[in-house]
Coordinates of all heavy atoms in Angstrom, one line a residue:
M22 N 19.3 -14.2 8.8 CA 20.4 -13.8 7.9 C 20.3 -14.6 6.6 O 19.9 -15.8 6.5 CB 21.8 -14.2 8.6 CG 22.4 -13.1 9.3 SD 23.8 -13.5 10.2 CE 25.1 -13.7 8.9
G23 N 20.6 -13.8 5.6 CA 20.5 -14.5 4.2 C 19.1 -14.4 3.6 O 18.9 -14.6 2.4
F24 N 18.1 -13.9 4.4 CA 16.8 -13.8 3.8 C 16.7 -12.4 3.2 O 17.1 -11.4 3.7 CB 15.7 -14.0 4.9 CG 15.6 -15.4 5.3 CD1 16.2 -15.9 6.5 CD2 14.8 -16.2 4.5 CE1 16.1 -17.2 6.8 CE2 14.7 -17.6 4.9 CZ 15.3 -18.1 6.1
L25 N 15.9 -12.4 2.1 CA 15.5 -11.1 1.5 C 14.5 -10.4 2.4 O 13.5 -11.0 2.6 CB 15.0 -11.3 0.1 CG 16.1 -11.4 -1.0 CD1 15.4 -11.7 -2.3 CD2 16.8 -10.1 -1.2
R26 N 14.8 -9.2 2.8 CA 13.8 -8.5 3.5 C 13.1 -7.5 2.7 O 13.6 -6.8 1.8 CB 14.6 -7.8 4.7 CG 14.8 -8.7 5.8 CD 15.5 -7.9 7.0 NE 14.7 -6.7 7.4 CZ 15.2 -5.6 7.9 NH1 16.4 -5.5 8.1 NH2 14.4 -4.6 8.3
H27 N 11.8 -7.4 3.0 CA 11.0 -6.4 2.3 C 11.3 -5.0 2.7 O 11.1 -4.7 3.9 CB 9.5 -6.7 2.4 CG 9.1 -8.0 1.7 ND1 8.9 -8.0 0.3 CD2 9.0 -9.2 2.1 CE1 8.7 -9.2 0.0 NE2 8.6 -10.0 1.1
E28 N 11.7 -4.2 1.9 CA 12.0 -2.7 2.3 C 11.0 -1.9 1.7 O 11.4 -0.8 1.0 CB 13.4 -2.4 1.9 CG 14.5 -3.2 2.6 CD 14.6 -2.9 4.1 OE1 13.9 -2.0 4.6 OE2 15.5 -3.5 4.7
R29 N 9.8 -2.3 1.7 CA 8.8 -1.5 1.0 C 8.4 -0.2 1.7 O 7.8 0.7 1.1 CB 7.5 -2.4 0.9 CG 7.7 -3.6 0.1 CD 6.4 -4.0 -0.6 NE 5.9 -3.0 -1.5 CZ 4.7 -2.9 -2.1 NH1 3.8 -3.8 -1.8 NH2 4.3 -2.0 -2.9
N30 N 8.8 -0.1 3.0 CA 8.4 1.1 3.7 C 9.5 2.2 3.7 O 9.6 3.0 4.6 CB 7.9 0.8 5.1 CG 6.7 -0.2 5.1 OD1 5.9 -0.1 4.2 ND2 6.7 -1.0 6.1
E31 N 10.4 2.0 2.7 CA 11.5 3.0 2.6 C 11.1 4.1 1.6 O 10.6 3.9 0.5 CB 12.8 2.3 2.2 CG 14.0 3.3 2.1 CD 15.2 2.6 1.7 OE1 15.5 1.4 2.1 OE2 16.1 3.2 1.0
C32 N 11.3 5.3 2.0 CA 11.0 6.5 1.2 C 12.0 6.5 0.0 O 13.1 6.4 0.1 CB 11.2 7.8 2.0 SG 10.8 9.3 1.0
E33 N 11.3 6.7 -1.2 CA 12.1 6.7 -2.4 C 12.9 8.0 -2.6 O 13.9 8.1 -3.3 CB 11.2 6.6 -3.6 CG 10.5 5.2 -3.7 CD 9.5 5.2 -4.8 OE1 9.5 6.0 -5.7 OE2 8.6 4.3 -4.7
D34 N 12.5 9.0 -1.9 CA 13.1 10.3 -2.0 C 14.2 10.6 -1.0 O 15.3 11.1 -1.4 CB 12.1 11.4 -1.8 CG 11.0 11.4 -2.9 OD1 11.4 11.6 -4.1 OD2 9.8 11.1 -2.7
C35 N 14.1 10.2 0.2 CA 15.1 10.5 1.3 C 15.6 9.2 1.9 O 16.5 9.3 2.8 CB 14.6 11.5 2.3 SG 13.3 10.9 3.3
H36 N 15.1 8.0 1.6 CA 15.4 6.8 2.0 C 15.3 6.6 3.5 O 15.9 5.7 4.1 CB 16.9 6.5 1.6 CG 17.1 6.4 0.1 ND1 16.5 5.4 -0.6 CD2 17.6 7.3 -0.8 CE1 16.8 5.7 -1.9 NE2 17.4 6.9 -2.0
E37 N 14.4 7.4 4.1 CA 14.0 7.2 5.5 C 13.1 6.0 5.6 O 12.3 5.7 4.6 CB 13.3 8.4 6.0 CG 13.2 8.4 7.6 CD 12.5 9.7 8.1 OE1 12.7 10.8 7.4 OE2 11.8 9.6 9.1
K38 N 13.2 5.1 6.7 CA 12.4 3.9 6.8 C 11.2 4.2 7.8 O 11.5 4.8 8.8 CB 13.3 2.8 7.2 CG 14.1 2.2 6.0 CD 15.1 1.3 6.4 CE 16.0 0.9 5.2 NZ 17.3 0.3 5.6
F39 N 10.2 3.5 7.5 CA 9.0 3.6 8.3 C 8.4 2.3 8.7 O 8.6 1.2 8.1 CB 7.9 4.4 7.6 CG 8.3 5.8 7.2 CD1 9.0 6.1 6.0 CD2 8.2 6.9 8.1 CE1 9.5 7.4 5.8 CE2 8.6 8.1 7.9 CZ 9.3 8.4 6.7
G40 N 7.8 2.3 9.9 CA 7.3 1.1 10.5 C 6.1 0.5 9.8 O 5.8 -0.7 9.8
S41 N 5.4 1.4 9.0 CA 4.2 0.9 8.2 C 4.2 1.7 7.0 O 4.7 2.8 6.8 CB 3.0 1.1 9.0 OG 2.6 2.4 9.1
Y42 N 3.4 1.0 6.0 CA 3.3 1.7 4.7 C 2.5 2.9 4.8 O 2.8 3.9 4.1 CB 2.6 0.7 3.8 CG 2.4 1.2 2.3 CD1 3.5 1.1 1.5 CD2 1.2 1.6 1.8 CE1 3.4 1.6 0.2 CE2 1.1 2.0 0.5 CZ 2.2 2.0 -0.3 OH 2.0 2.5 -1.6
D43 N 1.5 2.9 5.7 CA 0.7 4.2 5.9 C 1.5 5.4 6.3 O 1.3 6.4 5.8 CB -0.4 3.9 7.0 CG -1.5 3.0 6.4 OD1 -1.6 2.8 5.2 OD2 -2.2 2.4 7.3
E44 N 2.5 5.1 7.2 CA 3.3 6.1 7.7 C 4.2 6.7 6.5 O 4.4 7.9 6.3 CB 4.3 5.7 8.7 CG 3.7 5.6 10.1 CD 4.7 5.0 11.1 OE1 5.7 5.6 11.4 OE2 4.4 3.8 11.6
L45 N 4.7 5.8 5.7 CA 5.5 6.2 4.5 C 4.7 7.1 3.5 O 5.1 8.0 3.1 CB 6.0 4.9 3.8 CG 6.6 5.1 2.4 CD1 7.9 6.0 2.5 CD2 7.0 3.8 1.8
V46 N 3.4 6.6 3.3 CA 2.5 7.4 2.4 C 2.4 8.8 2.9 O 2.4 9.8 2.2 CB 1.2 6.7 2.2 CG1 0.2 7.5 1.5 CG2 1.3 5.3 1.5
R47 N 2.1 8.8 4.2 CA 1.8 10.1 4.9 C 3.1 11.0 4.7 O 3.0 12.2 4.4 CB 1.5 10.0 6.3 CG 0.3 10.8 6.8 CD -0.1 10.5 8.2 NE -0.7 9.2 8.4 CZ -0.4 8.3 9.3 NH1 0.4 8.7 10.3 NH2 -0.9 7.2 9.4
H48 N 4.2 10.5 5.0 CA 5.5 11.1 4.9 C 5.8 11.7 3.5 O 6.1 12.8 3.3 CB 6.7 10.2 5.4 CG 7.9 10.7 4.9 ND1 8.8 11.5 5.7 CD2 8.8 10.4 3.8 CE1 9.9 11.7 5.0 NE2 9.9 11.1 3.9
S49 N 5.5 10.8 2.5 CA 5.8 11.2 1.1 C 4.9 12.2 0.7 O 5.3 13.2 0.0 CB 5.7 10.0 0.2 OG 6.6 9.0 0.6
R50 N 3.6 12.2 1.1 CA 2.7 13.2 0.8 C 3.0 14.6 1.4 O 3.0 15.6 0.7 CB 1.3 12.7 1.2 CG 0.1 13.6 0.8 CD -1.2 13.2 1.5 NE -1.0 13.4 3.0 CZ -1.7 12.8 3.9 NH1 -2.7 12.0 3.6 NH2 -1.5 13.1 5.2
D51 N 3.3 14.6 2.7 CA 3.5 15.8 3.5 C 4.9 16.4 3.1 O 5.1 17.6 3.0 CB 3.4 15.5 4.9 CG 1.9 15.2 5.2 OD1 1.1 15.4 4.4 OD2 1.7 14.8 6.4
N52 N 5.9 15.5 3.0 CA 7.3 16.1 2.9 C 7.8 16.2 1.5 O 8.6 17.1 1.2 CB 8.3 15.2 3.7 CG 8.1 15.2 5.2 OD1 8.6 16.1 5.9 ND2 7.2 14.4 5.6
H53 N 7.3 15.4 0.6 CA 7.8 15.4 -0.8 C 6.7 15.8 -1.8 O 6.9 15.8 -3.0 CB 8.4 14.1 -1.2 CG 9.5 13.6 -0.2 ND1 10.6 14.3 0.0 CD2 9.5 12.5 0.6 CE1 11.4 13.7 0.9 NE2 10.7 12.6 1.3
K54 N 5.5 16.1 -1.2 CA 4.3 16.5 -2.0 C 4.1 15.5 -3.1 O 3.7 15.8 -4.3 CB 4.6 17.9 -2.7 CG 5.1 19.0 -1.7 CD 4.0 19.3 -0.6 CE 4.5 20.2 0.4 NZ 3.7 20.2 1.6
R55 N 4.2 14.3 -2.7 CA 3.9 13.2 -3.7 C 2.4 13.1 -3.9 O 1.6 13.3 -3.1 CB 4.4 11.8 -3.1 CG 5.9 11.7 -3.1 CD 6.2 10.8 -4.3 NE 7.7 10.6 -4.4 CZ 8.2 9.8 -5.3 NH1 7.5 9.2 -6.2 NH2 9.5 9.7 -5.3
H56 N 2.1 12.7 -5.2 CA 0.7 12.5 -5.5 C 0.3 11.1 -4.9 O 0.9 10.1 -5.1 CB 0.5 12.5 -7.0 CG -0.9 12.2 -7.4 ND1 -1.9 13.1 -7.2 CD2 -1.5 11.1 -8.0 CE1 -3.1 12.5 -7.7 NE2 -2.8 11.3 -8.1
I57 N -0.9 11.1 -4.2 CA -1.3 9.9 -3.5 C -2.6 9.4 -4.2 O -3.4 10.2 -4.6 CB -1.6 10.2 -2.0 CG1 -0.4 10.7 -1.3 CG2 -2.2 9.0 -1.3 CD1 0.8 9.8 -1.3
V58 N -2.7 8.1 -4.4 CA -3.9 7.5 -4.9 C -4.7 6.8 -3.8 O -4.1 6.2 -2.9 CB -3.6 6.6 -6.1 CG1 -3.2 7.3 -7.4 CG2 -2.6 5.5 -5.8
K59 N -6.0 6.9 -3.9 CA -6.8 6.3 -2.8 C -7.7 5.1 -3.3 O -8.2 5.2 -4.4 CB -7.8 7.3 -2.2 CG -7.2 8.2 -1.1 CD -8.3 9.0 -0.6 CE -7.7 10.1 0.4 NZ -8.7 10.9 1.0
C60 N -7.8 4.1 -2.5 CA -8.7 3.1 -2.8 C -10.1 3.6 -2.7 O -10.5 4.2 -1.7 CB -8.5 1.9 -1.8 SG -9.8 0.6 -2.0
S61 N -10.9 3.4 -3.7 CA -12.3 3.9 -3.7 C -13.2 3.2 -2.7 O -14.2 3.8 -2.3 CB -12.9 3.9 -5.1 OG -12.9 2.6 -5.7
S62 N -12.9 2.0 -2.4 CA -13.8 1.3 -1.5 C -13.5 1.4 0.0 O -14.4 1.5 0.8 CB -14.0 -0.2 -1.9 OG -12.7 -0.8 -1.9
C63 N -12.2 1.5 0.4 CA -11.9 1.6 1.8 C -11.1 2.9 2.1 O -10.9 3.2 3.3 CB -11.1 0.4 2.2 SG -9.4 0.4 1.7
G64 N -10.7 3.7 1.1 CA -10.0 5.0 1.4 C -8.5 4.8 1.7 O -7.9 5.8 2.0
K65 N -8.0 3.6 1.7 CA -6.5 3.4 2.0 C -5.7 4.2 0.9 O -6.1 4.2 -0.2 CB -6.2 1.9 2.0 CG -4.8 1.6 2.5 CD -4.7 0.1 2.7 CE -3.2 -0.3 2.8 NZ -2.5 0.2 3.9
Q66 N -4.6 4.8 1.3 CA -3.9 5.6 0.5 C -2.6 4.9 0.0 O -2.0 4.1 0.7 CB -3.5 6.9 1.2 CG -4.7 7.7 1.5 CD -4.3 9.0 2.2 OE1 -3.3 9.1 2.8 NE2 -5.2 10.0 2.0
F67 N -2.2 5.1 -1.3 CA -1.0 4.5 -1.9 C -0.2 5.5 -2.6 O -0.7 6.5 -3.1 CB -1.5 3.4 -2.9 CG -2.3 2.3 -2.2 CD1 -3.7 2.4 -2.1 CD2 -1.7 1.3 -1.5 CE1 -4.5 1.5 -1.4 CE2 -2.5 0.3 -0.8 CZ -3.9 0.4 -0.8
L68 N 1.1 5.2 -2.7 CA 2.0 6.1 -3.4 C 2.0 5.8 -4.9 O 2.2 6.7 -5.7 CB 3.5 5.8 -3.0 CG 3.8 6.3 -1.6 CD1 5.2 5.8 -1.2 CD2 3.8 7.8 -1.6
H69 N 1.7 4.6 -5.3 CA 1.7 4.2 -6.7 C 0.4 3.6 -7.2 O -0.2 2.8 -6.4 CB 2.8 3.3 -7.1 CG 4.2 3.9 -6.7 ND1 4.7 5.0 -7.4 CD2 5.0 3.6 -5.8 CE1 5.9 5.3 -6.8 NE2 6.1 4.4 -5.9
E70 N 0.0 3.9 -8.4 CA -1.2 3.3 -8.9 C -1.1 1.8 -8.9 O -2.1 1.1 -8.6 CB -1.5 3.8 -10.4 CG -2.7 3.3 -11.1 CD -4.0 3.7 -10.5 OE1 -4.1 4.5 -9.6 OE2 -5.0 3.1 -10.8
K71 N 0.1 1.3 -9.2 CA 0.3 -0.2 -9.2 C 0.0 -0.8 -7.8 O -0.5 -2.0 -7.7 CB 1.6 -0.6 -9.8 CG 2.8 -0.2 -9.0 CD 4.1 -0.8 -9.6 CE 5.4 -0.2 -9.1 NZ 5.6 -0.2 -7.7
D72 N 0.4 -0.1 -6.8 CA 0.2 -0.5 -5.4 C -1.3 -0.5 -5.1 O -1.8 -1.5 -4.5 CB 0.9 0.4 -4.4 CG 2.4 0.3 -4.5 OD1 2.9 -0.7 -5.0 OD2 3.0 1.3 -4.1
R73 N -2.0 0.5 -5.6 CA -3.5 0.6 -5.4 C -4.2 -0.6 -6.0 O -5.0 -1.3 -5.6 CB -4.0 1.9 -5.9 CG -5.5 2.1 -5.5 CD -6.0 3.4 -6.0 NE -6.2 3.3 -7.5 CZ -7.3 2.8 -8.0 NH1 -8.2 2.3 -7.4 NH2 -7.3 2.7 -9.4
L74 N -3.7 -0.8 -7.3 CA -4.3 -1.9 -8.1 C -4.1 -3.2 -7.4 O -5.0 -4.1 -7.4 CB -3.8 -1.9 -9.6 CG -4.2 -0.7 -10.4 CD1 -3.5 -0.8 -11.8 CD2 -5.7 -0.7 -10.7
H75 N -2.9 -3.5 -7.0 CA -2.6 -4.7 -6.2 C -3.6 -4.9 -5.1 O -4.1 -6.0 -4.8 CB -1.1 -4.7 -5.8 CG -0.7 -5.9 -5.1 ND1 -0.5 -7.1 -5.7 CD2 -0.6 -6.2 -3.8 CE1 -0.1 -8.0 -4.8 NE2 -0.2 -7.5 -3.6
H76 N -3.8 -3.8 -4.3 CA -4.6 -3.9 -3.1 C -6.1 -4.1 -3.5 O -6.7 -4.9 -2.9 CB -4.5 -2.5 -2.4 CG -5.6 -2.2 -1.5 ND1 -5.6 -2.7 -0.2 CD2 -6.8 -1.4 -1.6 CE1 -6.8 -2.3 0.4 NE2 -7.4 -1.5 -0.4
V77 N -6.5 -3.4 -4.5 CA -7.9 -3.6 -5.0 C -8.1 -5.1 -5.5 O -9.2 -5.6 -5.2 CB -8.2 -2.6 -6.2 CG1 -9.5 -3.0 -6.9 CG2 -8.3 -1.2 -5.6
R78 N -7.1 -5.6 -6.1 CA -7.3 -7.0 -6.5 C -7.4 -7.9 -5.3 O -8.2 -8.8 -5.3 CB -6.0 -7.4 -7.4 CG -6.3 -8.6 -8.4 CD -5.1 -9.0 -9.1 NE -4.5 -7.9 -9.8 CZ -3.1 -7.6 -9.8 NH1 -2.3 -8.5 -9.2 NH2 -2.7 -6.6 -10.5
E79 N -6.5 -7.7 -4.3 CA -6.6 -8.5 -3.1 C -7.9 -8.3 -2.4 O -8.5 -9.3 -1.9 CB -5.4 -8.2 -2.2 CG -4.1 -8.7 -2.6 CD -3.1 -8.5 -1.5 OE1 -3.2 -7.6 -0.7 OE2 -2.1 -9.3 -1.5
E80 N -8.4 -7.1 -2.4 CA -9.7 -6.8 -1.7 C -10.8 -7.5 -2.4 O -11.6 -8.1 -1.8 CB -10.0 -5.3 -1.8 CG -10.3 -4.7 -0.5 CD -10.4 -3.2 -0.6 OE1 -10.7 -2.6 -1.6 OE2 -10.2 -2.6 0.5
N81 N -10.8 -7.5 -3.8 CA -11.8 -8.2 -4.5 C -11.8 -9.7 -4.3 O -12.8 -10.4 -4.2 CB -11.7 -7.9 -6.1 CG -12.1 -6.5 -6.3 OD1 -12.8 -5.9 -5.6 ND2 -11.5 -6.0 -7.4
E82 N -10.5 -10.3 -4.2 CA -10.4 -11.7 -4.0 C -11.0 -12.1 -2.6 O -11.6 -13.1 -2.4 CB -9.0 -12.1 -4.1 CG -8.5 -12.3 -5.5 CD -7.0 -12.4 -5.7 OE1 -6.3 -12.6 -4.6 OE2 -6.5 -12.3 -6.8
K83 N -10.8 -11.2 -1.6 CA -11.2 -11.4 -0.3 C -12.7 -11.4 -0.3 O -13.3 -12.3 0.4 CB -10.8 -10.3 0.7 CG -9.4 -10.7 1.5 CD -9.0 -9.6 2.3 CE -7.6 -9.5 2.3 NZ -7.1 -8.1 2.8
K84 N -13.3 -10.4 -1.0 CA -14.8 -10.3 -1.0 C -15.3 -11.6 -1.6 O -16.3 -12.1 -1.2 CB -15.1 -9.1 -1.9 CG -15.4 -7.9 -1.1 CD -15.8 -6.8 -2.1 CE -15.2 -5.4 -1.6 NZ -15.1 -4.5 -2.7
V85 N -14.7 -12.1 -2.7 CA -15.2 -13.3 -3.4 C -15.1 -14.5 -2.5 O -16.1 -15.2 -2.3 CB -14.4 -13.6 -4.6 CG1 -14.7 -15.0 -5.2 CG2 -14.6 -12.5 -5.7
D86 N -14.0 -14.6 -1.7 CA -13.9 -15.6 -0.6 C -14.9 -15.6 0.4 O -15.6 -16.6 0.7 CB -12.4 -15.5 0.0 CG -11.4 -16.1 -0.8 OD1 -11.7 -16.7 -1.8 OD2 -10.2 -15.9 -0.5
S87 N -15.2 -14.4 0.9 CA -16.2 -14.3 2.0 C -17.6 -14.6 1.6 O -18.4 -15.2 2.2 CB -16.2 -13.0 2.7 OG -16.5 -11.9 1.8
R88 N -17.8 -14.2 0.3 CA -19.1 -14.6 -0.3 C -19.3 -16.1 -0.4 O -20.3 -16.7 -0.1 CB -19.2 -14.0 -1.7 CG -20.1 -12.8 -1.7 CD -20.2 -12.2 -3.1 NE -19.9 -10.8 -3.1 CZ -19.3 -10.1 -4.2 NH1 -18.9 -10.7 -5.2 NH2 -19.2 -8.9 -4.1
R89 N -18.2 -16.8 -0.8 CA -18.2 -18.2 -0.9 C -18.5 -18.9 0.4 O -19.2 -19.8 0.5 CB -16.9 -18.7 -1.5 CG -16.8 -18.8 -3.0 CD -15.6 -19.5 -3.5 NE -15.2 -19.1 -4.8 CZ -14.0 -18.7 -5.2 NH1 -13.0 -18.7 -4.3 NH2 -13.8 -18.3 -6.4
H90 N -17.9 -18.3 1.5 CA -18.0 -18.9 2.8 C -19.5 -18.7 3.3 O -20.0 -19.6 3.9 CB -17.0 -18.3 3.8 CG -15.7 -18.7 3.6 ND1 -15.3 -20.1 3.8 CD2 -14.5 -18.1 3.3 CE1 -14.1 -20.2 3.5 NE2 -13.5 -19.1 3.2
K91 N -20.0 -17.5 3.0 CA -21.4 -17.2 3.5 C -22.5 -18.0 2.8 O -23.4 -18.5 3.5 CB -21.7 -15.7 3.4 CG -21.2 -14.9 4.6 CD -21.5 -13.4 4.4 CE -20.7 -12.6 5.4 NZ -20.7 -11.1 5.0
F92 N -22.4 -18.1 1.5 CA -23.5 -18.7 0.8 C -23.1 -20.1 0.2 O -22.1 -20.3 -0.5 CB -24.0 -17.8 -0.3 CG -24.3 -16.5 0.2 CD1 -23.5 -15.4 -0.1 CD2 -25.5 -16.4 0.9 CE1 -24.0 -14.1 0.4 CE2 -25.9 -15.1 1.4 CZ -25.1 -14.0 1.2
Ligands
ZN23 ZN1 11.3 11.0 2.4
ZN24 ZN1 -9.3 -0.8 -0.2

């Protein structure tokens, strides 16, 4: 109680809630004909370009980290 909960998986159009972001993306694409953007490296789908950019940035940071660990 009192904690801010992340409601990122709520549909912006009909406010239905989903267990995962992937489900929300699929729902928005199929039910509301939303334009979906895809990550070019792993194919993950996003509702907004800013979400994709955030993911790509995290992915790049992970890559840099694993490179650092390996070499
Ligand atoms: Zn919806
Ligand atoms: Zn990706």
Side-chain angles (χ1 to χ4, degrees):
M22 266 170 75
F24 286 99
L25 272 175
R26 281 182 54 210
H27 290 281
E28 297 288 3
R29 293 209 66 191
N30 301 327
E31 183 177 324
C32 178
E33 290 171 24
D34 296 294
C35 69
H36 299 288
E37 194 176 330
K38 283 170 188 164
F39 297 89
S41 72
Y42 185 77
D43 289 343
E44 280 175 64
L45 168 63
V46 171
R47 223 174 295 138
H48 162 88
S49 299
R50 187 192 60 200
D51 295 344
N52 293 272
H53 306 297
K54 310 297 175 202
R55 286 262 182 175
H56 177 70
I57 301 300
V58 288
K59 272 187 189 177
C60 172
S61 55
S62 57
C63 73
K65 191 172 162 65
Q66 300 182 329
F67 301 91
L68 286 172
H69 302 290
E70 180 65 10
K71 64 173 168 54
D72 294 337
R73 190 184 69 83
L74 290 173
H75 180 76
H76 161 82
V77 167
R78 204 184 307 138
E79 284 190 334
E80 233 173 25
N81 288 337
E82 278 166 14
K83 267 181 220 155
K84 265 180 217 159
V85 171
D86 277 353
S87 61
R88 256 181 230 147
R89 267 189 209 135
H90 285 297
K91 270 179 194 168
F92 304 108

